[in-house]
Amino acid sequence: MKKHIPEKTVARLLLYYRYLYFLLQQGTKNISSKSLADMVEIKDSQVRKDLSYFGKLGGQGAGYDVLALRDMIAKVLDIGQITNVCIIGMGGLGSALASYKGFEALGFKVAAVFDNAANKVGHRLRGHTCLDSKELSKVVAEKDLKVAILTVPGEAAQKTSIALEQARVKAILNFTPVKLSLSKNIKIRNIDLAMELKTLSFFVK
Amino acid sequence: MKKHIPEKTVARLLLYYRYLYFLLQQGTKNISSKSLADMVEIKDSQVRKDLSYFGKLGGQGAGYDVLALRDMIAKVLDIGQITNVCIIGMGGLGSALASYKGFEALGFKVAAVFDNAANKVGHRLRGHTCLDSKELSKVVAEKDLKVAILTVPGEAAQKTSIALEQARVKAILNFTPVKLSLSKNIKIRNIDLAMELKTLSFFVK
DNA sequence: CATAGATTGTGAATTATTTCACAATCTTAT
DNA sequence: ATAAGATTGTGAAATAATTCACAATCTATG
Ligand SMILES: NC(=O)c1ccc[n+]([C@@H]2O[C@H](COP(=O)([O-])OP(=O)(O)OC[C@H]3O[C@@H](n4cnc5c(N)ncnc54)[C@H](O)[C@@H]3O)[C@@H](O)[C@H]2O)c1
Ligand SMILES: NC(=O)c1ccc[n+]([C@@H]2O[C@H](COP(=O)([O-])OP(=O)(O)OC[C@H]3O[C@@H](n4cnc5c(N)ncnc54)[C@H](O)[C@@H]3O)[C@@H](O)[C@H]2O)c1
């Protein structure tokens, strides 16, 4: 039950969660590791190994109870408990992310959005009143923001990330192609879409 | 230039490329695997192992020639040779991606954008005239589109992906949270931003 | 309620990736 | 020209992730 859970397992758990959610809506009560694996296009043993981190869940011979399994994953991943996030940089990408329903479905709430441009601050953008990034520290504390989504221009990325660390944000999802240099107290995950596109096309030739 | 190159190596190559590009602008002529590794926060042996897939590059005792190394990576990754891509679904996310400069920097050109909504088709969006997705097959052939970026709503994803396969696109960068079922002839890479956010916050507690 | 068939949970085996460690070889300084 | 120091390239070792394989145990059926 206890040891270290690989990041990849966490990611797959989320995929399982989506399918279980879907199965429940369909009224499906029970599922085998094989069927679940087929939906995600991985091996059934991988599904079982992933789930085994969290104790006994299905009966041997029977499959898994869809509802129970979904609830277990929801619990492990803290879905249902709301995590407040903010977005810094309400340009094209930031605005798109601000209205993405997929975050809510996993328990995230975009509780504040920031920019520093005069034509944005104070205006209503995607259902949020855009705040001045100078207010970061204040708002992070007030709204208990745990995670920041960073979508400022590359040039502003490092500076802004320092402000985020000082504001005591716990983690940053970094969409800029800049390597952020911060202390180990703050967790960073980089999303590099140009790299994804290149990696995809590399293996196409 | 030998055996199978791991996907992770390709991804790191791109990171190296970015730093080498930056170093060149600074006028730096030479770099060691250690310095490059430090910038990317990995081990120097990893850098050397990655580069070793492509033959001898640096001299022992000396480091690597920045220009030569950058050019080698550019060649291996086909940067410089333009790959035409298209975007299907010019909503919030599609529009943001359509004007992302980071793709160009790696040799990608957004050569067409598609939608099926009357208020978008025929209109100018982010520097592109939005085409009707009915014209997919025709335009893919005309403009030699290799890769498609899929940003339609989840409900339309599977249907649209089939149209893409029939249009002979080689690969799809899929931003929808839907598992696309297609033949093995077409390569798919899924970007699941909600999953990224969840994976990040999972390890924060 | 016994038997056949299905499916889990998990060590062991396999495969993939990262890191180590060092001979080979380059640069620089004297 | 030689020695000292730096740094590569790469097998071998170590780690990590995936897959296998099977005993354990459930369900369904007659
Ligand atoms: N557009 C994309 O599809 C895309 C894809 C991948 C990565 N990115 C990266 O995401 C980032 C944003 O991209 P974009 O296309 O939305 O750019 P953008 O220029 O449209 O938006 C950037 C926004 O950040 C704001 N900003 C600038 N400095 C700021 C600061 N110090 N504090 C707060 N806000 C500030 C600007 O006012 C602007 O609204 C860039 O780093 C880009 O490289 C973008
Ligand atoms: N917005 C985000 O930040 C975000 C993040 C991650 C993933 N996604 C996913 O990306 C997709 C797009 O998100 P969005 O927020 O841009 O949605 P959106 O509703 O703003 O845009 C979707 C666009 O697709 C067009 N469309 C619908 N059916 C089509 C069809 N059959 N052919 C061509 N075009 C069609 C619509 O007219 C619309 O312009 C969704 O699947 C969403 O789940 C979005």
Side-chain angles (χ1 to χ4, degrees), chain A residues 196 199-200 203, chain B residues 4-12 187 189:
Chain A
E196 298 286 349
T199 307
L200 172 64
F203 289 104
Chain B
H4 175 255
I5 295 159
E7 198 167 289
K8 295 223 183 159
T9 292
V10 175
R12 281 189 299 261
K187 173 110 183 153
R189 194 172 176 93

Side-chain angles (χ1 to χ4, degrees), chain A residues 96-97 100, chain B residues 88-94 114-117 120 133 151-154 156 159-160 175-177 193:
Chain A
L97 295 171
Y100 181 39
Chain B
I88 329 285
M90 288 294 283
L93 185 58
F114 298 90
D115 206 294
N116 73 345
K120 304 212 163 162
S133 46
T151 50
V152 299
K159 205 185 50 175
T160 307
F175 282 86
T176 78
L193 297 181

Side-chain angles (χ1 to χ4, degrees), chain A residues 91-97, chain B residues 87 90-101 103 126:
Chain A
L93 185 57
S95 298
L97 295 171
Chain B
I87 298 177
M90 288 294 283
L93 185 58
S95 298
L97 294 171
S99 50
Y100 182 39
K101 297 185 336 311
F103 291 149
R126 309 291 180 126

Side-chain angles (χ1 to χ4, degrees), chain A residues 32-33 48-49 57-62 64:
Chain A
S32 69
S33 58
R48 294 198 299 279
K49 184 68 89 182
L57 298 160
Q60 278 124 323
Y64 299 90

